[in-house]
Amino acid sequence: GESVGLHLPTLSVQEGDNSIINCAYSNSASDYFIWYKQESGKGPQFIIDIRSNMDKRQGQRVTVLLNKTVKHLSLQIAATQPGDSAVYFCAEMGGKLIFGQGTELSVKP
Amino acid sequence: EAGVAQSPRYKIIEKRQSVAFWCNPISGHATLYWYQQILGQGPKLLIQFQNNGVVDDSQLPKDRFSAERLKGVDSTLKIQPAKLEDSAVYLCASSLGPGEETQYFGPGTRLLVL
């Protein structure tokens, strides 16, 4: 069936560096994509979204890039901080929200 | 603005017992979702309500799981009887409704079936 997957299960970065988390999706009909952050013991927290008619969207310290040609989504976090440590999920909307497995981001002080 | 509320936060039961989870969505949100999140995986949709009607329950194991949203506001999810493989976090989320797809999640209920 359709699925959303992540290239790397874990990512370790130094505090202050930029982080890039990647995601591949398989449903070419999906028209809405969301990145969620999930800290231990908490529910997923909305970070940023993008629609299929865009290829880039920026928020505060975060940027999402969408490449529909290769069905690839990425989340860039600028100046990564210890508070950014969490599991990050990409999710696609093609009728219903389908989540990928998640990437665990670890920030080293 | 208050977020999505869920209770209890934790529950431990033995297999074959029953359990119920409660969710109160963000005020004014017409759409409510229940997800199951197994450790190490992303959330998986169990059921979606639009007001008090079911939109999608295709992934709900209906032989043991049931959910209701009788007045179109809060909702309960029940498992009866529970199996070991039901151990997971049960997340509730809500969104404004059609055309407003951003879902906001509650803290979840962590269920352990022994």
Side-chain angles (χ1 to χ4, degrees):
Chain A
E2 300 288 0
S3 65
V4 177
L6 296 174
H7 293 304
L8 296 173
T10 61
L11 178 65
S12 183
V13 300
Q14 204 71 38
E15 181 179 359
D17 288 351
N18 297 334
S19 302
I20 299 176
I21 301 172
N22 295 302
C23 174
Y25 65 94
S26 57
N27 185 356
S28 55
S30 293
D31 59 1
Y32 180 56
F33 303 87
I34 310 106
W35 281 100
Y36 283 94
K37 172 186 180 184
Q38 188 172 26
E39 297 174 278
S40 180
K42 297 183 179 180
Q45 175 189 359
F46 173 89
I47 300 174
I48 191 168
D49 59 359
I50 189 167
R51 296 204 173 270
S52 58
N53 60 352
M54 303 173 67
D55 54 19
K56 180 179 180 178
R57 190 162 190 223
Q58 287 185 291
Q60 187 177 15
R61 284 202 305 119
V62 294
T63 301
V64 55
L65 299 178
L66 175 62
N67 185 332
K68 294 180 288 294
T69 303
V70 295
K71 289 186 282 189
H72 184 268
L73 196 66
S74 69
L75 176 70
Q76 300 178 1
I77 305 174
T80 313
Q81 302 169 359
D84 295 327
S85 294
V87 177
Y88 289 80
F89 292 97
C90 66
E92 62 173 320
M93 177 67 79
K96 61 184 169 187
L97 202 59
I98 298 174
F99 283 79
Q101 185 180 13
T103 292
E104 182 172 8
L105 176 65
S106 175
V107 182
K108 296 177 288 187
Chain B
E1 179 183 85
V4 177
Q6 290 188 248
S7 67
R9 291 297 313 278
Y10 305 93
K11 191 73 177 179
I12 301 175
I13 61 172
E14 295 186 348
K15 60 183 179 184
R16 292 186 289 271
Q17 287 187 320
S18 62
V19 65
F21 313 126
W22 175 81
C23 171
N24 192 28
I26 293 173
S27 178
H29 280 198
T31 309
L32 184 147
Y33 313 80
W34 283 103
Y35 288 84
Q36 180 192 59
Q37 185 175 25
I38 293 172
L39 187 64
Q41 298 181 16
K44 183 187 79 171
L45 180 68
L46 292 174
I47 189 167
Q48 176 183 343
F49 290 94
Q50 181 71 26
N51 298 309
N52 61 351
V54 175
V55 174
D56 183 352
D57 64 355
S58 58
Q59 299 298 306
L60 188 74
K62 299 179 187 62
D63 58 333
R64 298 184 300 105
F65 286 64
S66 64
E68 59 183 17
R69 194 186 184 200
L70 294 175
K71 296 182 180 179
V73 181
D74 56 353
S75 175
T76 55
L77 176 70
K78 297 179 181 178
I79 307 175
Q80 181 179 12
K83 293 185 176 181
L84 297 177
E85 58 261 36
D86 297 332
S87 295
V89 176
Y90 291 85
L91 294 161
C92 180
S94 68
S95 64
L96 276 169
E100 294 291 339
E101 297 146 307
T102 304
Q103 296 182 25
Y104 298 90
F105 285 80
T109 295
R110 189 174 300 271
L111 174 67
L112 178 61
V113 182
L114 301 176

